[in-house]
Amino acid sequence: MAPSAPERSRYLDIYTRMTRIHRSDERFRRMLLGGQLAIAYYSPRGQELLSAALMAAVRQDDYLVTTYRGIHDQLAKGIPVRDLWAEFAGKATGTCKGKGGPMHITHPETGVMVTTGIVGSGLPIANGLAWASMLKGEDRVTVCCFGDGATNIGAFHEALNMASVWKLPVVFVCQNNRYAEKTKFADGTACATISDRAIGYGLEAIRIDGNDADAMYDAAARAVAKARAGDGPSLIEAMTFRFMGHSFGDPGEYIPKEEYAAFLAIDPVPAYRQKLLDLQIGEQELGAIDAQILAELEDAVTYALESPYAGEDEILKDVLDVEITPAISGETPFQIEEVA
Amino acid sequence: MAPSAPERSRYLDIYTRMTRIHRSDERFRRMLLGGQLAIAYYSPRGQELLSAALMAAVRQDDYLVTTYRGIHDQLAKGIPVRDLWAEFAGKATGTCKGKGGPMHITHPETGVMVTTGIVGSGLPIANGLAWASMLKGEDRVTVCCFGDGATNIGAFHEALNMASVWKLPVVFVCQNNRYAEKTKFADGTACATISDRAIGYGLEAIRIDGNDADAMYDAAARAVAKARAGDGPSLIEAMTFRFMGHSFGDPGEYIPKEEYAAFLAIDPVPAYRQKLLDLQIGEQELGAIDAQILAELEDAVTYALESPYAGEDEILKDVLDVEITPAISGETPFQIEEVA
Amino acid sequence: MSTGTTTEAPKMISTLQAVNQALDEAMANDERVIVFGEDVADPQGGGVFKTSKGLSTKYGDHRVRSTPIAEQAIVGAAVGAALAGMRPVAEIMLMNFITVAMDQLVNHAAKLRFMSGGQSSVPLTIRTIAGAGRGNGGQHSDMLEAWLAHVPGLKVVTASNPADAKGLLLSCIEDDNPCIFIEHIMGFQQKGVAPPPGHRVPLGKAAIAREGHDITVVSYGKAVNDVLAVAAALDPAISVEVIDLRTIAPFDEQAILESVGKTGRCLIVHEAIKAFGVGAEIAARVQEKLWGRLKAPVGRVGSKYAAVPFAPPLEKAFLYSQLEIQGAIQRLMAA
Amino acid sequence: MSTGTTTEAPKMISTLQAVNQALDEAMANDERVIVFGEDVADPQGGGVFKTSKGLSTKYGDHRVRSTPIAEQAIVGAAVGAALAGMRPVAEIMLMNFITVAMDQLVNHAAKLRFMSGGQSSVPLTIRTIAGAGRGNGGQHSDMLEAWLAHVPGLKVVTASNPADAKGLLLSCIEDDNPCIFIEHIMGFQQKGVAPPPGHRVPLGKAAIAREGHDITVVSYGKAVNDVLAVAAALDPAISVEVIDLRTIAPFDEQAILESVGKTGRCLIVHEAIKAFGVGAEIAARVQEKLWGRLKAPVGRVGSKYAAVPFAPPLEKAFLYSQLEIQGAIQRLMAA
Ligand SMILES: Cc1ncc(C[n+]2csc(CCOP(=O)(O)OP(=O)(O)O)c2C)c(N)n1
Ligand SMILES: Cc1ncc(C[n+]2csc(CCOP(=O)(O)OP(=O)(O)O)c2C)c(N)n1
Ligand SMILES: [Mg+2]
Ligand SMILES: [Mg+2]
């Protein structure tokens, strides 16, 4: 059955977001392999569709808090590819002038408020953002993404409890990719599913196949609508898989071959494309999106590589709201004489 | 029906522990009121029987980790009244030479390993003690007591998860007295019962009336036996009530009068005495225990008040395993000249 | 109302009232100000020390909230709310409890402005109560300001009297940087002249609490009062200039250097232990920047290298004393 | 085996191997030693930096355990196990993550001996990896040793070369006090002469890494190597004595005072930011205890007052440099 017009446009929207993530990630890894970039990189390969469908259910002015493995969330949320690439390359034209880097992307224009490198620390901050929206009478929702391993740290617990007691407009999304670094889910986590923890917070929870775009979109849309209506937080456990190990260079020997193969067979990226083809959305239309994204990406890569780094005086800026002087830092400026 | 001989002796054992706690607490408060002592004091009034029954199910060489509201646990575990009183009075003869004080009682001889003043922090330490027993091949169990409010802090979560993944021989006992300082259970805690949280840790949990000695004893005995057998941790939520506010001087205006009255009507201390009388354990026998405990207490009070304080040189001791010298502390010894 | 010539006794307030008034005024002035922490709302007594008493009744329980016992969630909520443009004022009941929330303060509050390339601003205030003297023992009495001072991006502030407490706390709340405001547990009942309405004390500026010409004693918080008492006792034999730092980090280097440049002698006094404390940084800078102009080494007085003991005589032995301050001044005068 | 007269090249090891060997020997020597942390067991790769590779295979997964991501639980387990007589060696993957576990370290590990009146002993070791230079950005690069040094009851230790890393880590594990052993992220591949079996480096004792008579430079960890490079470059124009602190707290005051007493000049160099850093304490003590015997003020070199930036040129600008060390030495020589 052919999709309705709104469905169709949503599918294409999700496809576009997914492809943008997919191509960016692919290109990053190629450049890392080729030595054109040298950064710690946490590939979202396998989690692209999850993020694309999730963010399709969210407004651009909704807040997002995510993690080091966040490029899929950031692109899906709408950060322009150029700005993100430039930040990954550390350039002055990046979202954060190169001062934050990939692990610390902030882009308030698209609602990306915090990217944290500290496991679990985003959740308490998401509460604060959501509380502020509530106090201001805005109907903004805060989406907070984190991994399965993050659910074992204290901040997760404190935040979910507070969000629930205070009925904050937050949607907590656990992207359960079954591994935390090299530790298998069950070796670090004492419950069968993360959703099992929700009852301990009086929270509505749903566990879905995050790689099923419809399931992901529906769950997100429901949770977002609930939060927007003032009915409090939800927890979504979105099951997924990461194909590229924890970080670039991790060969993933700890993943059983059969497990890997089984997930590869249902890789969401080609599957979603095929699904759209099956739904009579033509190769031509998808191809046009692909081409546009590749062009956008080429432009972004060039922009990132050719942009300058910020000047060293940036060290003195943005530490406080005033520039740092020697009287603040205790520095002793002195002349350096070269030695033969 | 009259109790069996072992039951009878257990009842008397529990009665003795309960009475020792009850009389000590009463006497403390009297001395605080009279100004003979001036310390921050967290009365266990209302929780005496819980602790007495719990510790009756535990061996003296089992470990205990408890909190600032710990005097009932410490006495029930077996710390001699003299030593405890002397520590509460800050004296050199106290369990910790007066260096720790009421909030930091340690008494390894009776298994009291840590008393913490930091909410929730005892749980991770309990895991370490239990893990050590496991590694040494001992069948020692670690009992860890904490309040309902403590279940909202991160350490609780991290510890329960780790204990469960590692199948550690710990019995976690939440003494749910329905208030955390002045905050009602439901105002800080998003779940209906603490036991609801256990599923999130794959933990066996039981919620009982902690003021029912049989229920408390049975739950503890089962959990202890399970841990001792190597079958892992349990969580006991023991419902109770505290009659004296959070700390000495707290009039407890935040407790609804009806709630207070309802609990007072079922005050476990007189109720347990009555129960034993009903079970044909004679007034005479109980009276002898009462008298013995009052004598023991008089002795302890005198001992505590008459003991000397430790000398000031204790400041330099027990910081490290060697005495602190000026070269370590950066002190500059100098002569103090009196000024007219 | 005064009818004319007679001078009225100045109105006095306690530090407790000063803190309470500062919170009240901040909330009245700016609806972005929100106050939260454990038991801070009126149904829970308005804070264990009553610093927020009356506020939830006056401003509503949406703006003044008691929280679960969850310091990471508390500081995290402050970070998030600040990022979204609010002016959160969170209470960490005792400074030792900040040890469970250092991540939010250090990795997030302090760094988000920098890491975002200036896009984010985190105008939060954390109020926390610290200090020994009440027999609260090892886990409830620490002064940890040196840790926070070592974190670029944080301001660390404390007051020695009620008027400053009010003026500094208001400045913290109005400041665009994350500020930690430390209240001494023994100082709440201290009385002082009530400041006029609208009173502010600027951050980053020290006060000359007493003028003198023989030696400069730099201190902050409650200890300033001990220093002033010693200075008065030594007068006129030794003329002690007392600098009240007010902002511990980043501190007012210029004020210190000017004073020590004049007196030629410097002693730093604080309650925290001496080793690796705030006094070390001040001493290190003074000896460097006033090289050749000092008449004595820079001295320090702090508490002993130990956990805070429980027993009263041991706690007293742990704490720095007026006698030690006096001895240190005399030693430096004799150098 | 050598057949006689020819001298063999000394066997070299990396710091990574040194740490691994120290853990291995400690486990072989004493079955109370247990090793745990995130991903430290072999099925998880033997640690993200491979420092514990091979150990779980060799000693069994009861003694070498990968943990959940839960630093409070990790340090707490170390505290509890140590109290019960084990010798836990826990890894906190990166030093910034210690911010979520400060309570266990500071309120418990450091204080339990004191608060128990000497009944408890907490012989734990926390290994943690720290430092900038790899583009890991603001939340993965901090050096926070000054916080820990400010806590009575803790020992803080770091090494500048593989042999010391092995000898110091073994000493930490065998020490009856809680020890924090800091490994620099950029130092794992550093090569050095392999120490003989049984090698120990005592805690609390500094090393003279280079003798000299014009100026003493005190440093620790990776920075010692930068100081040595500068010292070599300045030779023979300036004769630099280099002290490698090894134990940061409590540090070897005597070694510093003896050296500076001889040279009359002192510079402290560390990677942590300068303000309120370890250098401040050393400077404060040296200027006081060697009053009148210094030829120049005590100088300090540290990294900039900022979060650690991501972009390579900014990270470089953040970090202290050999050029700055050299400049500081020259300035002090000219004072
Ligand atoms: C507090 C803290 N501890 C440890 C780490 C190191 N670390 C980085 S990512 C990671 C694994 C997180 O796993 P998960 O939450 O499942 O997210 P994923 O990487 O799978 O997306 C760990 C342990 C950290 N960054 N912060
Ligand atoms: C980390 C931390 N935060 C706050 C406090 C202050 N505090 C002491 S007791 C307490 C309430 C604890 O309530 P609960 O766990 O229910 O135990 P109860 O006192 O009822 O026995 C609080 C908030 C603390 N000691 N530690
Ligand atoms: Mg994961
Ligand atoms: Mg309670």
Side-chain angles (χ1 to χ4, degrees):
Chain A
M1 202 183 69
S4 68
E7 270 172 1
R8 193 173 200 287
S9 94
R10 166 157 49 95
Y11 289 152
L12 287 174
D13 176 26
I14 293 176
Y15 180 80
T16 307
R17 296 182 203 237
M18 177 191 82
T19 306
R20 186 174 286 124
I21 299 164
H22 182 60
R23 293 300 186 188
S24 259
D25 171 61
E26 196 177 64
R27 191 68 196 270
F28 266 120
R29 286 183 284 108
R30 225 187 316 137
M31 293 185 68
L32 289 167
L33 263 181
Q36 290 147 287
L37 274 179
I39 60 174
Y41 179 67
Y42 305 86
S43 168
R45 187 67 268 285
Q47 304 180 206
E48 302 91 339
L49 181 57
L50 186 166
S51 219
L54 164 62
M55 299 308 170
V58 160
R59 288 201 318 236
Q60 192 163 75
D61 73 335
D62 286 333
Y63 289 140
L64 172 67
V65 175
T66 185
T67 74
Y68 53 91
R69 191 184 317 285
I71 175 186
H72 53 323
D73 297 334
Q74 291 143 3
L75 286 173
K77 189 71 174 60
I79 300 186
V81 187
R82 272 184 157 218
D83 305 32
L84 197 70
W85 267 81
E87 187 63 25
F88 271 61
K91 299 303 180 67
T93 53
T95 49
C96 309
K97 304 192 238 169
K99 297 170 91 165
M103 221 176 323
H104 304 302
I105 301 294
T106 294
H107 194 257
E109 282 163 63
T110 54
V112 181
M113 300 305 283
V114 177
T115 300
T116 183
I118 308 294
V119 167
S121 294
L123 288 89
I125 300 177
N127 281 348
L129 291 162
W131 187 25
S133 302
M134 199 171 163
L135 286 163
K136 293 191 215 166
E138 298 170 348
D139 69 349
R140 222 194 276 258
V141 164
T142 299
V143 174
C144 181
C145 293
F146 50 89
D148 47 296
T151 69
N152 295 321
I153 204 161
F156 163 88
H157 176 75
E158 295 191 8
L160 260 60
N161 182 60
M162 184 186 274
S164 183
V165 176
W166 290 8
K167 287 209 182 317
L168 298 175
V170 194
V171 179
F172 295 104
V173 181
C174 177
Q175 302 189 7
N176 185 342
N177 59 17
R178 298 155 207 267
Y179 287 86
E181 290 203 345
K182 305 184 179 185
T183 299
K184 247 188 193 350
F185 183 85
D187 292 341
T189 313
C191 49
T193 77
I194 300 304
S195 335
D196 284 349
R197 293 191 162 158
I199 187 178
Y201 311 111
L203 261 188
E204 199 170 316
I206 183 170
R207 182 171 192 257
I208 47 143
D209 178 357
N211 291 353
D212 174 338
D214 291 333
M216 184 69 241
Y217 178 85
D218 290 345
R222 234 182 357 258
V224 166
K226 178 181 165 189
R228 216 180 297 292
D231 294 331
S234 315
L235 172 67
I236 299 175
E237 179 178 13
M239 299 307 297
T240 185
F241 190 77
R242 58 162 164 71
F243 290 110
M244 290 297 151
H246 175 59
S247 58
F248 187 79
D250 168 11
E253 339 82 330
Y254 50 88
I255 305 176
K257 284 212 175 48
E258 318 73 60
E259 184 185 16
Y260 194 93
F263 279 105
L264 201 61
I266 51 168
D267 184 342
V269 171
Y272 197 62
R273 197 172 202 282
Q274 190 55 50
K275 176 186 161 144
L276 297 206
L277 292 173
D278 294 349
L279 285 170
Q280 320 295 334
I281 298 178
E283 172 68 51
Q284 214 175 353
E285 196 165 358
L286 300 183
I289 294 173
D290 297 347
Q292 178 225 312
I293 279 175
L294 284 174
E296 177 186 288
L297 196 57
E298 277 325 297
D299 166 69
V301 172
T302 310
Y303 180 73
L305 294 181
E306 292 182 357
S307 284
Y309 287 114
E312 294 189 3
D313 59 338
E314 280 292 339
I315 285 289
L316 306 176
K317 293 178 186 159
D318 307 326
V319 178
L320 294 171
D321 63 339
V322 294
E323 187 149 328
I324 300 302
T325 62
I328 289 176
S329 64
E331 284 310 318
T332 317
F334 51 83
Q335 297 304 319
I336 295 173
E337 299 162 34
E338 288 290 342
V339 173
Chain B
M1 200 184 69
S4 67
E7 270 173 2
R8 193 172 199 287
S9 95
R10 170 165 35 101
Y11 289 153
L12 287 173
D13 176 25
I14 292 176
Y15 180 80
T16 307
R17 296 183 203 238
M18 177 192 82
T19 306
R20 186 174 287 123
I21 299 165
H22 181 60
R23 293 300 186 188
S24 259
D25 171 60
E26 195 178 63
R27 191 67 198 269
F28 265 121
R29 285 185 283 108
R30 218 180 332 131
M31 292 186 68
L32 288 168
L33 262 181
Q36 290 147 288
L37 274 178
I39 60 173
Y41 180 67
Y42 305 86
S43 169
R45 185 69 267 283
Q47 304 179 208
E48 302 91 339
L49 182 57
L50 186 166
S51 218
L54 164 62
M55 299 309 170
V58 161
R59 288 201 318 236
Q60 192 163 76
D61 73 334
D62 286 334
Y63 289 140
L64 171 67
V65 175
T66 185
T67 73
Y68 52 91
R69 191 182 317 284
I71 175 186
H72 53 324
D73 296 335
Q74 291 143 2
L75 287 173
K77 190 71 173 59
I79 299 186
V81 187
R82 272 184 158 219
D83 304 33
L84 198 69
W85 267 81
E87 187 63 26
F88 272 62
K91 300 304 179 69
T93 53
T95 49
C96 310
K97 303 192 237 170
K99 296 170 91 164
M103 221 176 323
H104 304 301
I105 301 294
T106 294
H107 194 257
E109 282 162 64
T110 55
V112 181
M113 300 305 283
V114 177
T115 299
T116 183
I118 308 293
V119 166
S121 293
L123 289 89
I125 300 177
N127 282 348
L129 290 162
W131 186 26
S133 301
M134 199 171 164
L135 286 163
K136 292 191 215 166
E138 299 169 348
D139 67 351
R140 221 193 277 257
V141 164
T142 298
V143 174
C144 181
C145 293
F146 50 90
D148 47 295
T151 68
N152 294 321
I153 204 160
F156 163 89
H157 176 76
E158 294 190 11
L160 259 60
N161 182 59
M162 184 186 275
S164 183
V165 176
W166 289 8
K167 287 207 181 319
L168 297 175
V170 193
V171 179
F172 294 104
V173 181
C174 177
Q175 302 190 8
N176 184 342
N177 59 17
R178 299 153 206 266
Y179 287 86
E181 290 203 344
K182 305 183 179 187
T183 298
K184 248 188 191 355
F185 183 84
D187 292 341
T189 313
C191 49
T193 76
I194 300 303
S195 335
D196 283 349
R197 292 191 164 159
I199 188 178
Y201 311 110
L203 261 190
E204 199 172 315
I206 183 170
R207 183 172 193 256
I208 47 142
D209 178 357
N211 291 353
D212 174 337
D214 291 332
M216 183 69 241
Y217 178 85
D218 289 346
R222 235 183 355 259
V224 166
K226 178 182 164 188
R228 216 179 299 289
D231 294 331
S234 315
L235 172 67
I236 299 175
E237 179 178 10
M239 300 307 297
T240 186
F241 190 78
R242 57 162 164 72
F243 290 110
M244 291 296 152
H246 176 60
S247 58
F248 186 78
D250 169 12
E253 339 82 330
Y254 50 88
I255 305 177
K257 284 210 176 49
E258 317 72 59
E259 184 184 15
Y260 194 92
F263 279 104
L264 201 60
I266 50 168
D267 184 342
V269 172
Y272 197 62
R273 196 171 203 282
Q274 189 56 50
K275 176 185 159 143
L276 297 207
L277 292 174
D278 295 348
L279 285 170
Q280 318 296 331
I281 299 178
E283 172 68 50
Q284 215 175 355
E285 197 166 358
L286 299 183
I289 294 175
D290 297 348
Q292 178 224 314
I293 279 176
L294 283 173
E296 177 187 287
L297 196 57
E298 277 326 296
D299 167 68
V301 172
T302 310
Y303 181 73
L305 293 181
E306 293 183 355
S307 285
Y309 286 114
E312 293 189 3
D313 60 337
E314 279 293 339
I315 284 290
L316 304 175
K317 293 178 185 157
D318 307 326
V319 178
L320 294 171
D321 62 340
V322 294
E323 186 151 326
I324 300 303
T325 62
I328 289 176
S329 65
E331 284 310 317
T332 315
F334 51 84
Q335 297 304 319
I336 294 173
E337 300 162 34
E338 288 291 340
V339 173
Chain C
M1 280 273 273
S2 167
T3 50
T5 48
T6 55
T7 16
E8 282 181 284
K11 194 167 148 29
M12 306 294 276
I13 57 168
S14 68
T15 302
L16 182 58
Q17 289 170 307
V19 169
N20 186 263
Q21 287 177 15
L23 295 172
D24 191 352
E25 283 182 30
M27 295 199 77
N29 292 343
D30 185 346
E31 62 175 23
R32 297 172 305 171
V33 176
I34 49 180
V35 169
F36 54 109
E38 293 159 13
D39 288 345
V40 303
D42 289 328
Q44 287 79 40
V48 270
F49 298 95
K50 311 274 179 232
T51 41
S52 46
K53 201 170 175 71
L55 300 180
S56 76
T57 305
K58 187 161 171 188
Y59 298 103
D61 53 15
H62 55 298
R63 285 180 68 197
V64 181
R65 289 210 163 173
S66 293
T67 65
I69 308 175
E71 281 78 8
Q72 294 192 64
I74 294 169
V75 181
V79 172
L83 283 173
M86 305 299 289
R87 299 254 155 198
V89 184
E91 175 175 301
I92 296 295
M93 197 184 290
L94 291 177
M95 197 164 199
N96 280 85
F97 310 158
I98 224 168
T99 51
V100 297
M102 287 301 280
D103 163 57
Q104 286 294 342
L105 261 184
V106 171
N107 289 326
H108 296 91
K111 289 178 177 163
L112 282 169
R113 177 186 295 275
F114 186 86
M115 296 195 309
S116 70
Q119 297 174 96
S120 302
S121 183
V122 193
L124 62 78
T125 299
I126 307 288
R127 294 178 39 250
T128 191
I129 291 100
R134 284 229 318 205
N136 284 340
Q139 292 180 341
H140 279 53
S141 309
D142 281 338
M143 303 281 312
L144 301 171
E145 65 275 10
W147 290 3
L148 302 166
H150 190 47
V151 180
L154 295 183
K155 292 190 179 179
V156 187
V157 179
T158 193
S160 65
N161 61 69
D164 276 11
K166 184 171 175 190
L168 286 167
L169 179 51
L170 277 161
S171 294
C172 284
I173 297 171
E174 291 166 1
D175 196 83
D176 279 339
N177 302 288
C179 297
I180 320 295
F181 184 75
I182 304 170
E183 297 157 21
H184 199 288
I185 199 167
M186 301 299 285
F188 282 130
Q189 297 316 320
Q190 183 189 348
K191 288 270 177 9
V193 177
H199 179 66
R200 295 289 181 284
V201 177
L203 301 188
K205 290 273 164 250
I208 308 288
R210 176 193 173 100
E211 291 199 37
H213 48 75
D214 288 330
I215 182 169
T216 302
V217 182
V218 181
S219 189
Y220 53 84
K222 172 179 170 292
V224 171
N225 300 290
D226 294 304
V227 172
L228 287 171
V230 171
L234 290 173
D235 187 55
I238 304 174
S239 167
V240 179
E241 178 142 310
V242 181
I243 293 192
D244 180 348
L245 222 44
R246 289 170 160 174
T247 300
I248 299 170
F251 62 75
D252 187 349
E253 184 184 279
Q254 193 188 338
I256 297 173
L257 297 182
E258 272 170 19
S259 173
V260 183
K262 177 178 79 174
T263 61
R265 292 184 172 88
C266 180
L267 175 73
I268 304 120
V269 176
H270 54 57
E271 178 175 321
I273 66 152
K274 192 163 153 177
F276 302 92
V278 165
E281 178 64 25
I282 299 173
R285 289 207 207 172
V286 167
Q287 63 85 31
E288 184 178 22
K289 307 215 170 172
L290 295 178
W291 172 249
R293 295 170 59 192
L294 292 177
K295 301 173 189 152
V298 183
R300 293 181 291 157
V301 167
S303 296
K304 306 303 169 293
Y305 190 81
V308 183
F310 165 71
L314 296 184
E315 190 183 35
K316 189 153 172 282
F318 164 82
L319 279 168
Y320 75 96
S321 68
Q322 292 191 7
L323 215 59
E324 284 166 334
I325 298 170
Q326 177 194 307
I329 291 173
Q330 291 171 326
R331 181 174 53 86
L332 294 182
M333 289 307 300
Chain D
M1 281 275 272
S2 167
T3 50
T5 47
T6 57
T7 17
E8 282 181 283
K11 195 169 151 22
M12 306 293 277
I13 57 168
S14 68
T15 302
L16 183 58
Q17 290 171 306
V19 169
N20 186 263
Q21 287 177 15
L23 294 172
D24 192 351
E25 285 183 28
M27 295 199 78
N29 292 343
D30 184 348
E31 62 175 23
R32 296 172 305 170
V33 176
I34 49 179
V35 168
F36 53 109
E38 293 158 14
D39 287 346
V40 303
D42 289 327
Q44 288 79 38
V48 270
F49 298 95
K50 311 273 178 235
T51 41
S52 46
K53 202 170 174 72
L55 299 180
S56 75
T57 304
K58 188 162 170 187
Y59 297 102
D61 53 15
H62 55 299
R63 286 181 67 197
V64 181
R65 287 212 165 170
S66 293
T67 65
I69 308 175
E71 281 79 7
Q72 294 191 65
I74 294 168
V75 181
V79 172
L83 284 173
M86 306 299 289
R87 301 254 154 198
V89 184
E91 176 175 302
I92 296 294
M93 197 184 289
L94 291 177
M95 197 164 199
N96 280 85
F97 311 158
I98 224 168
T99 51
V100 298
M102 288 301 280
D103 162 56
Q104 286 294 341
L105 262 184
V106 172
N107 290 326
H108 297 90
K111 290 178 176 162
L112 283 169
R113 177 187 294 276
F114 186 86
M115 297 195 308
S116 70
Q119 297 173 96
S120 302
S121 182
V122 193
L124 61 79
T125 299
I126 306 288
R127 292 179 40 248
T128 190
I129 292 102
R134 282 228 319 206
N136 284 340
Q139 292 179 340
H140 279 54
S141 309
D142 282 338
M143 302 282 310
L144 301 172
E145 65 275 11
W147 291 2
L148 303 167
H150 190 47
V151 180
L154 295 183
K155 292 191 180 179
V156 187
V157 178
T158 192
S160 66
N161 61 69
D164 276 12
K166 185 172 174 189
L168 286 167
L169 178 52
L170 277 162
S171 294
C172 285
I173 298 171
E174 292 166 1
D175 196 84
D176 280 338
N177 303 286
C179 297
I180 321 296
F181 185 76
I182 304 170
E183 297 158 21
H184 199 288
I185 199 167
M186 302 298 285
F188 283 129
Q189 297 316 319
Q190 184 190 348
K191 288 271 174 11
V193 177
H199 178 67
R200 295 290 182 282
V201 176
L203 302 187
K205 291 271 164 252
I208 308 287
R210 177 192 172 100
E211 291 198 37
H213 47 76
D214 288 329
I215 181 169
T216 301
V217 182
V218 180
S219 190
Y220 53 84
K222 173 180 169 291
V224 170
N225 300 291
D226 294 303
V227 173
L228 288 171
V230 172
L234 290 172
D235 187 56
I238 304 174
S239 168
V240 179
E241 179 142 309
V242 181
I243 293 192
D244 181 348
L245 222 44
R246 289 171 161 173
T247 300
I248 299 169
F251 62 76
D252 187 349
E253 185 184 279
Q254 192 187 343
I256 297 173
L257 296 182
E258 273 171 17
S259 174
V260 184
K262 176 180 79 176
T263 62
R265 293 182 171 89
C266 181
L267 175 73
I268 304 121
V269 176
H270 54 58
E271 178 176 321
I273 67 152
K274 191 164 154 178
F276 302 90
V278 165
E281 178 64 25
I282 300 174
R285 290 208 208 173
V286 167
Q287 63 85 31
E288 184 177 22
K289 306 214 170 170
L290 296 177
W291 171 249
R293 295 170 60 193
L294 292 176
K295 301 174 189 152
V298 182
R300 293 181 292 157
V301 167
S303 295
K304 306 303 170 293
Y305 190 81
V308 183
F310 166 71
L314 296 184
E315 190 183 34
K316 189 153 172 284
F318 163 83
L319 279 168
Y320 75 97
S321 68
Q322 292 191 8
L323 215 58
E324 285 165 333
I325 298 170
Q326 176 193 308
I329 291 173
Q330 290 170 328
R331 181 173 53 86
L332 295 182
M333 290 307 300

